[in-house]
Amino acid sequence: DGGITQSPKYLFRKEGQNVTLSCEQNLNHDAMYWYRQDPGQGLRLIYYSQIVNDFQKGDIAEGYSVSREKKESFPLTVTSAQKNPTAFYLCASSIGYLTEAFFGQGTRLTVV
Amino acid sequence: AQSVTQLGSHVSVSEGALVLLRCNYSSSVPPYLFWYVQYPNQGLQLLLKYTSAATLVKGINGFEAEFKKSETSFHLTKPSAHMSDAAEYFCAVSGRNNNDMRFGAGTRLTVKP
């Protein structure tokens, strides 16, 4: 079945450690996105990529980094510079612009 | 830049009652509008989308939404609520580039038996 896979579903890390969240899609979509979800704030865009080897910052990119070396993969690294990393992270993809986004099941990151 | 405002962070209805979730948008270009549903600890699933064709859009699970340009609204409705409709609902707007897709803060729908 085609879809987007995020792993792991739950992740615990100590404060000050970098952590990488995985996102893989087999939909052959060009565009991929990372959103952060906090209660009562909806989804906020962290980074997006419209094509392999290219990505742009979203609204809250500080403290995060991404790479897009393959069309199907768009990993997100939460660095120690991110002040409040505990959140639910959602990866999405789309065929291109003006089309709906397909979402993964999310990764809940807890930093202690 | 595009934006959406969802009126009401929490809506509660009785089973069988009308569901109305409100969304107003702001966009400098003709928008594409979307409604998504999210169940606890899961990703978002597309309910329906408006892409400048018919103003009344029908989606999955009996939901529909009407695009009203004069009111800059895209409210989501369902004639009769079911217990399985309990979830969080997000309105989203996209302009000429999908990277501009913006989400509302969400509305949590509770369905009482």
Side-chain angles (χ1 to χ4, degrees):
Chain A
D1 287 338
I4 300 177
T5 301
Q6 289 186 243
S7 60
K9 190 170 178 65
Y10 298 96
L11 189 55
F12 295 87
R13 278 296 181 270
K14 291 184 178 180
E15 191 172 345
Q17 290 182 332
N18 292 355
V19 60
T20 297
L21 282 59
S22 171
C23 178
E24 303 276 334
Q25 55 101 356
N26 60 4
L27 299 168
N28 201 32
H29 286 173
D30 286 317
M32 296 187 74
Y33 314 85
W34 274 105
Y35 291 91
R36 170 178 170 143
Q37 185 177 20
D38 296 285
Q41 296 194 47
L43 278 68
R44 293 182 290 169
L45 183 64
I46 305 173
Y47 268 98
Y48 62 94
S49 168
Q50 301 283 29
I51 196 170
V52 175
N53 293 322
D54 187 48
F55 48 83
Q56 286 78 42
K57 293 181 180 180
D59 296 329
I60 56 166
E62 185 176 351
Y64 299 97
S65 66
V66 293
S67 63
R68 187 85 187 277
E69 297 177 1
K70 298 184 296 183
K71 187 175 185 178
E72 59 270 24
S73 179
F74 192 42
L76 173 74
T77 297
V78 184
T79 74
S80 57
Q82 168 52 233
K83 302 298 183 191
N84 184 21
T86 294
F88 190 53
Y89 292 87
L90 287 162
C91 179
S93 71
S94 67
I95 295 173
Y97 73 95
L98 299 181
T99 62
E100 67 268 28
F102 292 79
F103 284 81
Q105 295 297 293
T107 293
R108 186 167 296 281
L109 172 64
T110 302
V111 175
V112 296
Chain B
Q2 292 77 232
S3 66
V4 290
T5 301
Q6 291 184 240
L7 301 176
S9 60
H10 187 204
V11 170
S12 181
V13 300
S14 297
E15 191 173 18
L18 171 71
V19 175
L20 171 60
L21 305 182
R22 301 176 187 273
C23 173
N24 288 89
Y25 71 90
S26 171
S27 177
S28 57
V29 297
Y32 281 29
L33 293 158
F34 308 85
W35 274 101
Y36 289 87
V37 61
Q38 184 183 35
Y39 298 98
N41 293 311
Q42 293 189 26
L44 276 67
Q45 178 185 4
L46 181 71
L47 275 177
L48 50 81
K49 62 180 179 181
Y50 167 76
T51 58
S52 74
T55 56
L56 182 62
V57 181
K58 294 187 183 298
I60 62 172
N61 301 337
F63 284 94
E64 63 182 36
E66 186 172 8
F67 174 72
K68 292 187 177 181
K69 185 177 179 180
S70 61
E71 299 177 8
T72 62
S73 69
F74 189 58
H75 301 332
L76 181 71
T77 61
K78 182 174 180 178
S80 177
H82 191 273
M83 296 297 290
S84 61
D85 295 327
E88 187 145 22
Y89 292 80
F90 292 92
C91 181
V93 62
S94 178
R96 296 196 182 282
N97 299 306
N98 205 41
N99 48 291
D100 288 334
M101 182 174 282
R102 304 292 182 181
F103 287 82
T107 297
R108 182 168 299 280
L109 175 66
T110 301
V111 182
K112 298 175 292 184

